[in-house]
């Protein structure tokens, strides 16, 4: 067999294998038993499954290590040893007939601030797993069924730090987004920045439901992609989970995905060797070529939920400059104290004014940048969707921030300072971070365009030697002041034009330098911006609150035919007045977002997730003489209800939901002593929550618990892997009116019926609601559950209804 990278370059399609769990169940895996524990005890069964898939036509078999990190494995199993043995089993089955993909599934944990774990803790867990997979003979690392972009990054970075094997990544989507709000395109942009060799999507749906996800991935996709759908949605037949989509129908539904340009096809839950055999017949002898991306190549900066593409042919992007302590006493004092209220205010203000990217600089006296830059970047990442530009000369601080940010931030900058490209360039490549190339060598400023272009060319060659792809590089055209160097503007424009025409590179500049020392600086800056845009200026660092500057940008985009049908211009300037001043009633901005809400009440704090501000606002209401119960009932509960509605409408995603829930919790904890002192808190309805026996996944259950608490329920969280007897006994002891059960795996969802039956047998006056990734409403009805919820918001509504009837 050739190595997998060479195999990928061949102009033909190939097949991954199908579901492992389905076949393990048929060959002895007991309900509630983990596939990993069963596999290490019965390696011959696993080898037999691999061989069956190879005989069916699979060119890649996937190791039985989906839950192979220390977070999920039985404590008695050493992660390195377990993964080595399972990879060796796959290697024995594959021989020279197929490649072995070391399977890396999700840990079931969230990175901070969504969860309790540091990014490097997840990286370390993945490194343990991948070390074993490499030792066992894996040909590639397959990071699959991911639902959070930060964890995707952690797994890819872990693979790069352990080995040089190719990396394939697959994310799962529901209704067009991942669990934490990442779109297929932002996922693609971030993975391509990381240099992943194969990008895919799996699970969640059958082949028909996967087509829209694939179409959403294609606009900027320049990497081979693969698909691994389920055999339809799971259904319960007796005590067994079944998937109704048969092999021939599966193959028929695969055809549109093949036509869309898939490099490889495989199967997820419910698929068998026969499904793979039929799928292979769809693309047998079919030549493959990478689909042509509709959009030209460009540099892309991403957050967890948003992509900002930067290129000469695209509309110019605004990089907000205001989160910088220079000349800002309040911001400086807060940064020195480790506080971020002013930074958050400046972030929201700039986004409302039209910033696409936020520059973040914490370089103030008596500030430890290595601590503050990652902390502020992480905090901003949970509060705003706009991607960040990390602005520092401190390489250690930049690396620390790159470790925690859940996307591809822009790094400002890499200059010709001796050793900076050699130190920072590989870090940017490793973390998939685009960067600004600054044409400076030593202390002498290159004044002429010729001098600057020589420096740029030299730095580009250095980047090429380090293997840094050009799509990660944006050039700073280096604006010098015209008051001292009259030729500075023309030289800068020439650099912009050359970067566009000769190298196809995006360019950026700090506008305000051009006018230093002159009157009417805003006028001069705006004029220079227009001239730069005509030459291909891709982005500019400025204060988006400058009305003249933003007006010049907006009108230029129309004239350069980069604002189709002048939609943005009409939306923002329909009521424009030549007298100047802010436009009345302005609702949107150049980023296509609503202006940020001014946080003046506890309700607004909960809705916007202003956790750091909510206590002060609650105190203001108390000082007015308001009853604490009234604040809870009239402000906090309606606010969290509105957040839930936004989540259902896909206006909010999981990070915003959790941020608002934590804000609500903070406000309630402040009010708790007052509520108790004024006659005791109102009686709460008790709900018992648990992940069923045999299942160690608790993310969904934890989110439901938090939302129930914030909606006035008393929640007893029993954790994960909980027997039915304990759940029912706890419900009886505490007089619970509702039991909430969660399961993520098809092998453990059958345990839900045990709890429902036990509640009925013991005659508890208690209702049972169920949920989880594999659970359906039909299944809930089948086992006699009283309610079914798709997500945390719906779970609150169901719990309220059930508690009223109980």
């Amino acid at each position: 067999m050739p190595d997998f990278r060479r195999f990928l370059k061949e102009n033909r399609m190939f097949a991954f294998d199908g579901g492992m769990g389905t076949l393990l169940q048929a060959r002895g895996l007991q309900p509630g038993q983990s596939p990993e524990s069963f596999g290490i005890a019965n390696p011959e069964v696993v080898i037999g499954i691999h061989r069956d898939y190879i005989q069916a036509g699979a060119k890649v078999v996937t190791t039985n290590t989906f839950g192979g990190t220390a977070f999920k494995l039985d404590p008695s199993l050493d992660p390195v040893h377990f993964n080595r043995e399972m990879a060796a089993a796959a290697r024995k089955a594959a021989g020279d007939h197929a490649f072995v993909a070391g399977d890396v599934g999700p840990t079931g944990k969230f990175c901070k601030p969504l969860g309790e774990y540091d990014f490097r803790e997840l990286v370390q867990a993945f490194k343990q797993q991948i070390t074993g997979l490499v030792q066992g003979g894996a040909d590639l690392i397959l990071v699959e069924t991911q639902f959070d972009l930060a964890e995707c990054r952690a797994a890819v970075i872990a693979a790069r730090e352990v080995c040089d094997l190719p990396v394939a990544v697959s994310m799962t989507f529901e209704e067009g987004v991942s669990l934490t709000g990442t779109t297929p395109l932002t996922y693609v942009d971030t993975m391509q920045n990381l240099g992943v060799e194969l990008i895919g999507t799996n699970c969640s749906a059958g082949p028909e439901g996967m087509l829209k996800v694939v179409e959403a991935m294609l606009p900027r996709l320049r990497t081979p992609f693969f698909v691994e759908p389920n055999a339809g949605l799971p259904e319960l037949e007796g005590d067994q989970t079944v998937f109704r989509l048969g092999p021939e129908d599966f193959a028929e539904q695969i055809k549109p995905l093949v036509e869309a340009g898939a490099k490889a096809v495989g199967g997820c839950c419910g698929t068998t060797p026969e499904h793979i055999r039929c799928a292979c017949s769809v693309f047998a002898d079919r030549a493959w070529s990478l689909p042509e991306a509709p959009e030209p190549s460009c540099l892309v900066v991403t957050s967890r939920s948003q992509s900002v593409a930067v290129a000469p042919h695209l509309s110019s992007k605004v990089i907000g400059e205001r989160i910088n302590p220079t000349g800002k006493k309040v911001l400086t004092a807060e940064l020195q104290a480790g506080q971020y209220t002013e930074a958050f205010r400046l972030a929201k203000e700039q986004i409302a004014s039209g910033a696409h990217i936020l520059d973040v600089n914490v370089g103030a006296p008596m500030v430890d940048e290595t601590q503050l830059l990652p902390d502020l970047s992480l905090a901003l990442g949970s509060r705003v969707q706009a991607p960040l530009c990390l602005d520092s000369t401190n390489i250690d601080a930049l690396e620390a921030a790159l470790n925690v940010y859940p996307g591809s931030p822009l790094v400002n900058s890499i200059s010709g300072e001796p050793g900076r490209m050699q130190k920072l360039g590989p870090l940017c490549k490793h973390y998939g971070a685009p960067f600004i190339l600054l044409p400076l060598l030593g202390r002498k400023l290159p004044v002429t365009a010729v001098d600057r272009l020589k420096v740029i060319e030299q730095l580009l060659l250095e980047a090429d030697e380090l293997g840094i792809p050009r799509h990660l590089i944006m050039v700073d055209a280096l604006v010098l002041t015209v008051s001292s160097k009259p030729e500075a503007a023309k030289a800068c424009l020439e650099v912009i034009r050359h970067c566009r025409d000769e190298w196809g590179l995006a360019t950026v500049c700090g506008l305000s330098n051009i006018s230093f020392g002159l009157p009417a600086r805003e006028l001069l800056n705006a004029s220079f911006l227009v001239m730069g845009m005509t030459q291909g200026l891709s982005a500019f660092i400025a204060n988006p609150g400058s009305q003249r500057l933003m007006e010049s940008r907006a009108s230029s985009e129309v004239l350069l035919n980069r604002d189709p049908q002048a939609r943005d211009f009409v939306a923002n300037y329909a009521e424009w007045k030549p007298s100047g001043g802010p436009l009345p009633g302005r609702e949107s901005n150049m980023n296509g977002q609503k202006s940020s809400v001014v946080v003046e009440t506890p309700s607004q704090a909960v809705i916007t997730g202003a956790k750091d501000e909510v206590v002060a606002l609650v105190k203001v209401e108390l000082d007015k003489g308001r009853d604490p119960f009234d604040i809870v009932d009239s402000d906090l509960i309606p606010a969290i209800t509105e957040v839930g509605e936004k989540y259902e409408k896909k206006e909010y995603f999981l990070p915003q939901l959790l941020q608002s829930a934590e804000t609500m919790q903070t406000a309630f904890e402040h009010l708790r002593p007052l509520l108790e002192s004024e006659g005791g808190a109102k009686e709460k309805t008790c709900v018992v929550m648990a992940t069923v026996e045999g299942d160690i996944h608790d993310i969904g259950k934890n989110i439901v618990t938090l939302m129930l608490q914030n909606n006035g329920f008393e929640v007893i969280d029993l954790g994960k892997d909980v027997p039915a007897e304990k759940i029912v006994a706890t419900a009886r002891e505490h007089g619970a009116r509702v039991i909430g059960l969660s399961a993520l795996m098809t092998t453990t969802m059958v345990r839900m019926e045990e709890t429902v039956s036990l509640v009925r047998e013991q005659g508890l006056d208690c209702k049972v609601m169920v949920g989880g990734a594999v659970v359906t409403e039909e299944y809930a009805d089948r086992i006699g559950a009283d309610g079914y919820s798709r997500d945390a918001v719906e779970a609150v509504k169901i719990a309220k209804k059930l508690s009223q009837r109980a």
Side-chain angles (χ1 to χ4, degrees):
M1 296 286 290
D3 68 62
F4 189 72
R5 281 194 177 93
R6 275 195 292 155
F7 178 73
L8 264 183
K9 293 178 181 178
E10 297 180 7
N11 65 339
R12 58 173 176 164
M13 291 186 63
F14 63 92
F16 278 84
D17 55 7
M20 174 65 72
T22 304
L23 271 64
L24 287 175
Q25 289 178 54
R27 302 182 191 190
L29 177 68
Q30 297 301 305
Q33 185 179 15
S34 81
E36 291 75 28
S37 296
F38 178 83
I40 199 71
N42 301 276
E44 70 286 348
V45 174
V46 176
I47 291 171
I49 291 172
H50 289 319
R51 285 175 174 161
D52 287 350
Y53 276 120
I54 293 169
Q55 291 175 4
K59 283 295 182 182
V60 180
V61 291
T62 307
T63 58
N64 180 41
T65 56
F66 181 79
T69 62
F71 288 113
K72 284 189 172 181
L73 282 177
D74 186 289
S76 65
L77 295 176
D78 173 69
V80 176
H81 172 77
F82 166 76
N83 283 278
R84 180 172 60 244
E85 292 302 304
M86 288 292 91
R91 180 80 276 155
K92 182 177 180 180
D96 293 331
H97 304 291
F99 295 99
V100 173
D103 190 13
V104 177
T107 62
K109 307 297 179 183
F110 280 129
C111 294
K112 294 177 181 176
L114 298 184
E116 58 182 314
Y117 291 92
D118 291 328
F119 180 81
R120 290 307 304 188
E121 290 182 274
L122 264 64
V123 171
Q124 186 57 37
F126 286 132
K127 287 176 72 172
Q128 275 188 309
Q129 179 179 20
I130 293 167
T131 296
L133 293 171
V134 173
Q135 291 176 359
D139 298 296
L140 68 147
I141 303 301
L142 172 62
V143 181
E144 69 163 334
T145 324
Q146 296 293 318
F147 49 78
D148 179 49
L149 193 64
E151 188 169 13
C152 275
R153 290 183 71 246
V156 174
I157 288 166
R160 299 293 192 224
E161 292 180 2
V162 168
C163 63
D164 187 40
L165 293 180
V167 178
V169 181
S170 183
M171 184 171 262
T172 182
F173 299 90
E174 295 284 351
E175 298 182 19
V177 291
S178 75
L179 178 64
T180 54
T182 300
T183 65
L185 186 57
T186 293
Y187 156 63
V188 164
D189 290 332
T190 307
M191 292 302 104
Q192 290 187 149
N193 283 343
L194 281 164
V196 167
E197 284 93 338
L198 190 61
I199 297 176
T201 181
N202 76 300
C203 204
S204 75
E208 287 183 329
M210 198 167 273
L211 185 58
K212 287 186 178 180
V213 171
V214 167
E215 290 171 345
M217 290 168 58
L218 293 176
R220 289 192 288 267
L221 186 66
R222 287 170 180 80
T223 304
F225 77 91
F226 67 105
V227 291
E228 293 185 310
N230 291 341
L233 295 173
E235 299 177 26
L236 195 68
E237 191 174 87
D239 290 334
Q240 294 295 317
T241 304
V242 297
F243 293 82
R244 299 294 187 190
L245 190 62
E248 293 182 358
D249 290 337
F250 180 83
E252 186 66 27
Q253 291 183 22
I254 281 286
K255 289 181 180 178
L257 297 171
V258 172
E259 294 296 330
K263 172 70 174 176
V265 170
C268 202
C269 301
T271 54
T272 66
E274 192 58 30
H275 285 82
I276 300 306
R277 191 187 316 277
C278 290
C280 287
S281 68
V282 171
F283 57 81
D285 302 320
R286 180 188 178 96
W288 176 87
S289 61
L290 184 67
E292 184 175 348
E295 298 181 14
S297 180
C298 57
L299 177 146
V300 186
V301 187
T302 72
S303 64
R304 179 183 265 114
S305 57
Q306 191 174 95
S307 295
V308 175
V310 186
H313 64 275
L314 298 174
S315 62
S316 60
K317 301 303 186 296
V318 185
I319 302 176
E321 67 181 6
R322 300 277 291 152
I323 306 177
N324 186 321
T326 303
K328 299 183 182 70
K329 293 182 179 180
V330 174
L331 180 60
T332 299
E334 285 197 355
L335 292 177
Q336 290 170 338
Q339 298 172 351
Y340 305 134
T341 302
E342 179 67 2
F344 296 154
R345 186 189 69 80
L346 291 170
K348 292 178 180 179
E349 179 183 85
Q350 290 182 102
I351 292 173
S353 296
H356 303 92
I357 300 170
L358 298 177
D359 189 81
V360 181
N361 186 314
V362 297
M366 298 179 292
V367 161
D368 182 0
E369 285 194 62
T370 60
Q371 179 66 43
L372 219 62
L373 187 61
D375 283 357
L376 179 54
S377 299
L378 193 62
L380 284 169
S382 69
R383 284 166 170 79
V384 298
Q385 294 185 38
L388 303 185
C389 174
L390 307 176
D391 189 352
S392 178
T393 58
N394 187 322
I395 293 179
D396 291 338
L398 289 169
E399 182 174 11
L402 289 172
N403 256 304
V404 302
Y405 190 69
S408 297
L410 182 64
V411 170
N412 187 9
S413 57
I414 297 181
S415 67
E417 175 188 338
R420 190 163 176 86
M421 176 66 79
Q422 286 67 31
K423 292 179 182 177
L424 188 51
L427 282 178
C428 290
K429 177 185 176 183
H430 185 62
Y431 289 99
F435 63 87
I436 296 173
L437 189 152
L438 184 63
L440 282 178
L441 288 175
R443 297 184 179 180
K444 185 178 180 181
L445 294 173
V447 176
T448 68
V450 171
D451 289 342
R452 290 184 216 181
L453 292 170
K454 286 180 180 178
V455 176
I456 294 168
E457 190 165 23
Q458 178 181 328
L459 292 175
L460 288 175
L461 289 174
E462 290 182 20
D464 290 343
E465 290 173 0
L466 293 168
I468 299 170
R470 292 285 177 96
H471 68 256
L472 291 181
I473 301 175
M474 175 161 51
V475 175
D476 190 327
L478 193 60
V479 176
L480 304 179
T481 177
V482 292
S483 60
S484 60
K485 294 180 173 57
E487 72 277 25
K490 290 181 63 177
C492 192
L493 295 172
E494 188 174 336
V495 170
I496 293 169
R497 183 169 57 251
H498 187 94
C499 287
R500 178 192 64 185
D501 296 342
E502 300 301 323
W503 293 321
L505 291 175
T507 49
V508 63
C509 69
L511 282 179
S512 60
N513 286 349
I514 199 73
S515 61
F516 185 79
L518 293 171
R521 293 189 63 187
E522 189 178 34
L523 175 61
L524 203 60
N525 293 345
S527 298
F528 181 63
L529 171 62
V530 172
M531 296 172 71
M533 289 173 64
T534 65
Q535 303 305 305
L537 181 66
S538 313
F540 58 95
I541 303 171
N543 177 7
S546 167
Q547 184 179 346
R548 186 182 296 273
L549 207 62
M550 299 304 283
E551 287 174 346
S552 297
R553 175 194 175 274
S555 55
S556 295
E557 294 297 355
V558 175
L559 299 174
L560 290 169
N561 192 28
R562 298 193 305 213
D563 181 3
Q565 287 78 50
R567 284 193 295 264
D568 286 344
F569 188 78
V570 171
N572 289 284
Y573 294 97
E575 299 179 24
W576 181 82
K577 301 291 189 298
S579 56
L583 300 181
R586 181 170 173 175
E587 289 291 324
S588 61
N589 58 47
M590 294 301 175
N591 208 12
Q593 300 174 344
K594 294 290 183 182
S595 298
S596 59
V597 177
V598 178
V599 180
E600 296 178 335
T601 66
S603 176
Q604 291 168 342
V606 171
I607 292 169
T608 59
K611 180 181 176 182
D612 298 330
E613 302 171 47
V614 71
V615 170
L617 294 170
V618 167
K619 288 179 179 178
V620 169
E621 297 303 309
L622 291 171
D623 290 342
K624 293 177 182 177
R626 284 189 65 188
D627 180 76
F629 287 105
D630 181 52
I631 295 174
V632 172
D633 292 340
S634 300
D635 286 30
L636 301 183
I637 295 295
I640 201 69
T641 301
E642 182 175 338
V643 168
E645 292 170 353
K646 288 179 177 292
Y647 182 78
E648 289 183 320
K649 295 175 183 176
K650 300 296 182 182
E651 295 176 11
Y652 275 13
F653 297 100
L654 186 59
Q656 292 93 337
L657 182 70
L658 292 179
Q659 191 71 35
S660 292
E662 289 175 2
T663 304
M664 169 84 171
Q665 195 79 354
T666 299
F668 188 79
E669 288 303 316
H670 180 75
L671 289 168
R672 185 189 298 275
L674 297 174
L675 295 170
E676 292 174 350
S677 66
E678 295 187 14
K682 295 179 180 179
E683 182 181 351
K684 295 183 177 182
T685 299
C686 180
V687 178
V688 171
M689 290 293 300
T691 300
V692 296
E693 186 176 8
D695 202 316
I696 58 172
H697 303 88
D698 61 358
I699 285 180
K701 184 262 300 171
N702 292 344
I703 297 169
V704 172
T705 295
L706 183 61
M707 290 299 293
L708 287 170
Q709 289 170 336
N710 283 333
N711 280 271
F713 289 90
E714 177 191 358
V715 181
I716 298 171
D717 185 356
L718 296 178
K720 55 195 176 185
D721 190 18
V722 187
E725 293 78 7
K726 182 176 180 180
I727 297 171
V728 175
T730 303
R732 179 184 294 278
E733 177 186 352
H734 293 273
R737 299 173 72 181
V738 178
I739 292 174
L741 302 177
S742 174
L744 186 68
M745 301 187 299
T746 57
T747 56
T748 58
M749 61 189 275
V750 294
R751 293 300 181 95
M752 290 178 163
E753 188 172 10
E754 296 175 10
T755 303
V756 174
S757 298
L758 198 56
V759 167
R760 306 292 183 257
E761 288 173 13
Q762 297 192 10
L764 260 66
D765 184 19
C766 183
K767 302 295 185 181
V768 181
M769 65 178 185
V770 298
V774 296
V775 182
T776 65
E777 189 164 11
E778 291 75 17
Y779 174 69
D781 293 340
R782 160 71 176 77
I783 65 174
D786 301 292
Y788 159 77
S789 67
R790 293 169 297 176
D791 53 46
V793 173
E794 190 172 33
V796 173
K797 295 179 179 179
I798 297 296
K800 288 179 178 178
K801 291 180 181 178
L802 294 180
S803 62
Q804 290 169 359
R805 293 203 304 266

